[in-house]
């Protein structure tokens, strides 16, 4: 009985700390492609009943996303900080609840406005896997900054957070933001799309797999890279070197960075785990944001 009362209390706390999310299209329809090789793509959850569960719960694996959006999760009492959340999924699908809505609701519980980015996947023929997602991330950050006053956000308190492939995307836009990767649309493209801070959770694809110790060519860390928080486990099959080498690059560039590594936990746990190091990393993020006056 006590267990169910705790669950109900947590649900009520979330409801009291947040408003109904609002979803906004990123692009005019004439900028979008929804047909590939004669096949019309229809967004859908590709999960199957026998797919692996995380902490005993199923995962929404959204595929064939052709109309990217941002969904704005506003807390009841916003503190002025916002985070654009990028779910992972190998640039093939997006883990929309595990690495999306669940962390957005948690951010709301600490007063942070969360912006869930539903970026385009899978990779279209002839495109780099991150090409369209980078456009979506840049566009999302511009739209958030354009609407900062309306949404109760400080324009210099807008960060980005990514899991796995979403971590790669978050690192990429953190270092690729001086010029838009697409043709101008409107006023949102006239203002900065640089995140003010970055949070990377078990980031993927940051290293050059063929040259040990080297970052991927597209990840160009500099003194302009935002302050960064990194979390990963040493037994992550994606390789902890993604965190290690990115952190070293940040330190060489004299960018404020904090990294937490734990021996076990694997990959793709979102915020569901309550055991070991991966069970406390939400609190580590909250402390890091508070320490940096975010």
């Amino acid at each position: 009985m006590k267990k169910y009362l705790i669950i109900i209390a947590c649900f009520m706390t979330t409801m009291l700390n947040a408003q109904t999310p609002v979803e906004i299209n990123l692009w005019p329809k004439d900028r979008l492609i929804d047909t590939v090789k004669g096949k019309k793509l229809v967004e859908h959850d590709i999960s199957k009943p026998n797919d692996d569960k995380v902490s005993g719960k199923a995962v929404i694996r959204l595929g064939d996303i052709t109309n990217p959006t941002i969904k704005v999760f506003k807390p009841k009492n916003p503190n002025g900080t916002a985070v654009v959340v990028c779910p992972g999924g190998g640039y093939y699908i997006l883990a929309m609840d595990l690495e999306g809505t669940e962390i957005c609701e948690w951010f709301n519980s600490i007063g942070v406005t969360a912006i869930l980015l539903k970026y385009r996947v899978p990779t279209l023929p002839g495109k780099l896997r991150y090409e369209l997602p980078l456009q979506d991330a840049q566009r999302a950050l511009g739209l958030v900054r354009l609407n900062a006053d309306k949404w109760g956000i400080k324009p210099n308190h807008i960060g980005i957070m990514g899991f796995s492939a979403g971590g790669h995307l978050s690192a990429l836009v953190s270092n690729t933001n001086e010029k838009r990767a697409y043709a101008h649309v409107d006023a949102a493209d006239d203002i900065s799309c640089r995140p003010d801070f970055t949070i990377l959770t078990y980031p993927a694809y940051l290293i050059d797999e063929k040259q040990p110790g080297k970052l991927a060519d597209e990840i160009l860390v500099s003194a302009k890279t935002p302050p960064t928080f990194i979390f990963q486990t040493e037994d992550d099959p994606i390789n902890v070197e993604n965190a290690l080498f990115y952190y070293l690059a940040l330190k060489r560039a004299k960018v404020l960075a904090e990294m937490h590594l734990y021996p076990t936990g694997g990959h793709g746990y979102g915020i569901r785990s309550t055991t070991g190091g991966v069970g406390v990393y939400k609190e580590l993020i909250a402390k890091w944001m508070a320490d940096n006056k975010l």
Side-chain angles (χ1 to χ4, degrees):
M1 184 65 179
K2 182 178 179 182
K3 175 182 177 182
Y4 294 109
L5 289 173
I6 292 172
I7 292 172
I8 292 170
C10 290
F11 175 76
M12 292 302 297
T13 299
T14 298
M15 294 300 292
L16 289 171
N17 281 305
Q19 302 176 31
T20 302
V22 176
E23 192 164 24
I24 301 167
N25 292 331
L26 286 181
W27 305 100
K29 291 209 175 291
D30 62 0
R31 292 288 185 104
L32 302 174
I33 299 171
D34 64 1
T35 302
V36 177
K37 295 181 179 180
K39 178 185 177 184
K40 188 174 178 63
L41 302 179
V42 179
E43 182 179 304
H44 65 290
D45 183 359
I46 70 166
S47 297
K48 298 178 177 57
N50 59 348
D51 282 343
D52 291 341
K53 292 179 170 55
V54 177
S55 297
K57 293 172 60 179
V59 176
I60 295 173
R61 298 172 173 88
L62 206 61
D64 288 339
I65 298 170
T66 60
N67 184 24
T69 65
I70 52 173
K71 184 176 282 190
V72 184
F73 289 72
K74 293 180 66 176
K76 184 178 180 182
N77 297 302
N79 62 15
T81 296
V83 179
V84 175
V85 175
C86 305
Y91 288 122
Y92 176 66
I93 55 92
L94 298 183
M96 289 302 289
D97 52 353
L98 176 68
E99 298 167 349
T101 56
E102 292 171 14
I103 191 72
C104 289
E105 290 167 355
W106 175 77
F107 273 127
N108 280 179
S109 76
I110 60 171
V112 173
T113 300
I115 317 291
L116 178 56
L117 174 59
K118 184 175 71 176
Y119 56 91
R120 285 171 283 184
V121 291
T123 307
L124 295 181
K127 301 285 188 183
L128 297 171
R129 61 186 173 189
Y130 56 79
E131 189 171 340
L132 297 181
L134 174 61
Q135 294 177 9
D136 295 341
Q138 288 182 334
R139 176 77 175 155
L141 285 157
L143 281 168
V144 174
R145 195 161 273 122
L146 180 70
N147 289 284
D149 288 345
K150 186 195 304 184
W151 296 345
I153 297 167
K154 299 174 185 176
N156 62 344
H157 279 61
I158 299 170
I160 194 164
M161 177 180 188
F163 298 80
S164 195
H168 173 268
L169 177 58
S170 298
L172 182 61
V173 75
S174 295
N175 295 286
T176 309
N177 48 61
E178 292 190 356
K179 182 180 178 181
R180 295 296 203 269
Y182 55 88
H184 183 276
V185 177
D186 55 28
D189 300 328
D190 295 325
I191 54 181
S192 174
C193 64
R194 176 187 179 272
D196 297 303
F197 60 93
T198 305
I199 301 171
L200 305 180
T201 305
Y202 44 83
Y205 312 138
L206 297 183
I207 55 174
D208 188 324
E209 296 291 350
K210 296 180 180 178
Q211 299 185 60
K214 181 179 180 297
L215 289 179
D217 289 342
E218 69 274 8
I219 304 296
L220 303 172
V221 173
S222 72
K224 297 180 180 180
T225 304
T228 303
F229 176 99
I230 307 170
F231 187 97
Q232 197 163 14
T233 63
E234 294 177 29
D235 66 346
D236 191 329
I238 296 299
N239 292 330
V240 72
E241 283 80 2
N242 285 281
L244 288 169
F245 294 140
Y246 192 72
Y247 174 81
L248 288 173
L250 293 171
K251 297 309 293 180
R252 292 190 188 107
K254 295 181 169 47
V255 173
L256 182 67
E258 179 172 315
M259 179 172 65
H260 294 268
L261 302 180
Y262 286 83
T264 59
H267 188 82
Y269 37 80
I271 60 170
R272 292 181 182 178
S273 178
T274 58
T275 60
V278 299
V280 300
Y281 93 92
K282 298 193 305 296
E283 287 71 25
L284 295 174
I285 292 171
K287 185 178 186 305
W288 180 76
M289 294 177 72
D291 289 346
N292 288 280
K293 297 180 172 53
L294 297 169

